[in-house]
Amino acid sequence: MEKKIFSAVGEKEVTRAIVNEFAKQFSEYVESDCLIIGAGPSGLMAGKELAKKKLKVLIVERNNYLGGGFWIGGYLMNKLTVRAPGQEVLSELNIPFEEVSKGLYVADGPHACSKLIAAACDAGVKFANMTVFDDVVLREGNRVVGAVVNWTPVEALPRQITCVDPVALESKIVVDATGHDATVVKKLEERGIVKTVGFGAMWVERSEDLVVEHTGEVHPGLVVCGMSVTTTYGLPRMGPTFGAMLLSGKKAAEIVLQKIK
């Protein structure tokens, strides 16, 4: 007789589990305390810090994976660098690293990224991946109070065969962590509400300090962090070093907490 290893659960139960649990979570997070667009290192860091404070946090990510460029480092070489004091965050997350020259630290990208994702999940962050930001939700005074989203595959279909309206998510505050695209800020720019400058040429030493310094509320209801900051304010790009992205995420979380008290 064939030995049974797994429980007697069939296809219909598996399908119901996926559909029901997804629908339950999606319905619950149609309204959140903080909606973060982009699951790169700054967005994950901000989400982790906010969820630790018991805020209801949803991160929207257009890709099927989380972590952005944190997996691969630079130039398809999966070692990532941080400059001091970025290694303090690596220590907080129990990510192994080594100092390769004074003030410069290197870690394995996959190890670092998986630890950061796990820390965000452990803190209570929920995710809507394969979901693309489409537009903002505005209220009186053009305050940002949410985002319009759609499935990424739907967004990618040719317009002539696609007629699928997006849906909207409401939130007390939105964080643009979309990297150099600064997608949320640029949606406001399209309406003449804010103006971006575009990121400048590479200058690591200057950029990292400036990114953290300029992390903040760019418009009522919208906080910008990570590389989105460089595009918004015309700062130099920072390249494959991640300390400022991690610290910018932390600072964004502090600002969100102040704003929604």
Side-chain angles (χ1 to χ4, degrees):
M1 182 177 177
E2 185 180 347
K3 183 181 179 182
K4 292 287 186 183
I5 298 174
F6 295 101
S7 57
V9 175
E11 285 79 3
K12 61 181 181 299
E13 288 86 3
V14 171
T15 302
R16 282 192 188 115
I18 293 169
V19 172
N20 292 342
E21 291 305 306
F22 177 83
K24 185 168 69 176
Q25 179 177 296
F26 194 76
S27 177
E28 182 182 351
Y29 280 79
V30 162
E31 184 178 19
S32 62
D33 293 316
C34 182
L35 180 60
I36 298 173
I37 312 298
S42 64
L44 288 169
M45 197 71 203
K48 178 187 81 72
E49 294 293 304
L50 291 167
K52 272 172 51 183
K53 300 292 185 183
K54 307 301 181 190
L55 265 65
K56 190 175 170 185
V57 179
L58 178 67
I59 299 184
V60 168
E61 168 56 50
R62 66 181 176 180
N63 292 303
N64 63 338
Y65 63 91
L66 313 172
F70 211 43
W71 285 110
I72 196 68
Y75 203 60
L76 294 180
M77 295 181 284
N78 63 1
K79 300 292 182 183
L80 58 86
T81 62
V82 299
R83 297 186 303 138
Q87 85 282 2
E88 293 174 4
V89 178
L90 301 184
S91 294
E92 287 175 24
L93 296 171
N94 292 318
I95 297 167
F97 62 88
E98 61 178 300
E99 187 174 26
V100 291
S101 63
K102 186 173 175 53
L104 179 63
Y105 302 84
V106 174
D108 285 333
H111 202 160
C113 195
S114 56
K115 285 274 193 179
L116 179 55
I117 293 168
C121 292
D122 289 345
V125 174
K126 301 301 180 189
F127 295 92
N129 48 345
M130 290 300 284
T131 300
V132 63
F133 168 83
D134 185 76
D135 204 347
V136 289
V137 178
L138 299 178
R139 291 290 185 269
E140 292 80 4
N142 286 329
R143 179 178 180 80
V144 178
V145 294
V148 182
V149 299
N150 211 335
W151 299 117
T152 300
V154 170
E155 183 76 9
L157 287 170
R159 288 296 176 193
Q160 59 268 32
I161 63 169
T162 308
C163 185
V164 181
D165 274 337
V167 295
L169 307 170
E170 291 189 25
S171 185
K172 294 175 183 172
I173 198 158
V174 175
V175 174
D176 186 338
T178 61
H180 284 308
D181 292 340
T183 308
V184 187
V185 179
K186 286 195 170 179
K187 190 56 71 173
L188 294 182
E189 185 175 38
E190 286 177 15
R191 294 188 167 84
I193 297 171
V194 300
K195 184 165 179 57
T196 65
V197 182
F199 61 87
M202 181 89 79
W203 190 351
V204 171
E205 287 187 355
R206 187 143 191 252
S207 178
E208 289 215 277
D209 288 343
L210 290 171
V211 164
V212 177
E213 178 185 334
H214 285 76
T215 296
E217 191 176 41
V218 66
H219 181 79
L222 179 61
V223 169
V224 63
C225 73
M227 290 187 294
S228 299
V229 178
T230 64
T231 300
T232 301
Y233 295 106
L235 308 179
R237 64 190 301 170
M238 69 180 80
T241 186
F242 290 85
M245 298 179 205
L246 298 170
L247 295 184
S248 174
K250 269 185 176 264
K251 184 176 178 183
E254 293 169 3
I255 291 165
V256 169
L257 285 168
Q258 293 169 8
K259 296 291 178 184
I260 66 174
K261 272 183 180 176

